[in-house]
Amino acid sequence: MLERSRKINPGAAVPLRADRRRQRRFPRLPDGNMASDRSDSAAPLLAGCALWKQGAEARIYRGKFLGRAAVVKHRFPKRYRHPQLDEKLTRRRTVQEARAALRCRKAGISVPVVYFVDYTTHCIFMEDLVGSITVRDHIVTTQQSGDNPESLGGLADEMGRILAKMHDEDVIHGDLTTSNMLLRNGSEGPGADLVLIDFGLSYTSALPEDKGVDMYVLEKAFLSTHPNTESLFQQLLNSYTAASKKAPAVIKKLDEVRLRGRKRSMVG
């Protein structure tokens, strides 16, 4: 019995199997798609707000929410991604950020109060910490003033305690830097009101490996931004270890991640 033969136009491109699967999962949308619609729908919410900063993932606005000073984080559409994929990723990150902030706040960790979340436009309205400064600016100012870096010991201890408490709640920040830590009203020293911000890359995990990577990201950012502060970061780690029973497993994973990082830099 002869097999049926399909007529194929020699000039037409035959789609690959992977392309066909992708088309079924993310069908092509008409021009004027949801990306532009979502961007336009955020305009009413952002009315009266002034653009403050912009990153690769979001724009930050300052304005008012029910009469209170507020910061608005708007995850704008990424036009280089398929609209449905972009919508799915953006919604998941918005949800994760709001949940991580709420989870930390329930644990007694200072984070900005979340006033309102719009999952349609992916806008998060948060407390505006007026008068606060970043830990990065505080350390840089202290170094430039000629003060002994050991005077920052109280701040390092507080950072270690806060991060240990966060990891005990199985919250992985994902982007730990001194720019993502604020000192409310310029407070410093022991008992400083340290506020963690920007949970845009956060997720939940109980694995020591993930927590070790989180600390490794902080270590690389800390030592590259603030030279000659190795003893200060070690003090942070000592405080982290003393504040959590789970810390030894995390520090062990941190050492393993360091070794992997050194091997990668040696190989190139």
Side-chain angles (χ1 to χ4, degrees), residues 98-115 127 129 165-166 169 171 184 193 195-196 199:
R99 285 179 177 173
L102 180 60
R103 191 164 185 164
C104 287
R105 195 163 186 83
K106 285 183 177 179
I109 301 170
S110 291
V111 298
V113 179
V114 177
Y115 294 141
E127 174 188 9
L129 301 173
K165 187 182 293 187
M166 181 186 72
E169 294 298 316
V171 175
R184 196 189 299 267
D193 192 356
V195 183
L196 299 181
F199 288 84

Side-chain angles (χ1 to χ4, degrees), residues 29-38 79 83:
L29 297 177
D31 294 336
N33 52 42
M34 67 175 70
S36 59
D37 293 342
R38 174 155 59 89
R79 301 188 184 280

Side-chain angles (χ1 to χ4, degrees), residues 5 9 61 78 105 149 213 228 243 247 256:
S5 60
N9 184 359
Y61 298 83
K78 312 302 183 297
R105 195 163 186 83
V213 171
N228 304 318
E256 294 178 5

Side-chain angles (χ1 to χ4, degrees), residues 17 24 53 65 71 131 133 165 169 200:
R17 182 175 300 174
R24 287 196 298 269
K53 296 180 180 180
F65 181 80
V71 170
I133 63 171
K165 187 182 293 187
E169 294 298 316

Side-chain angles (χ1 to χ4, degrees), residues 215-229:
M215 296 301 292
Y216 181 72
V217 169
L218 175 61
E219 181 181 41
K220 297 294 285 185
F222 195 101
L223 298 181
S224 62
T225 306
H226 312 291
N228 304 318
T229 55

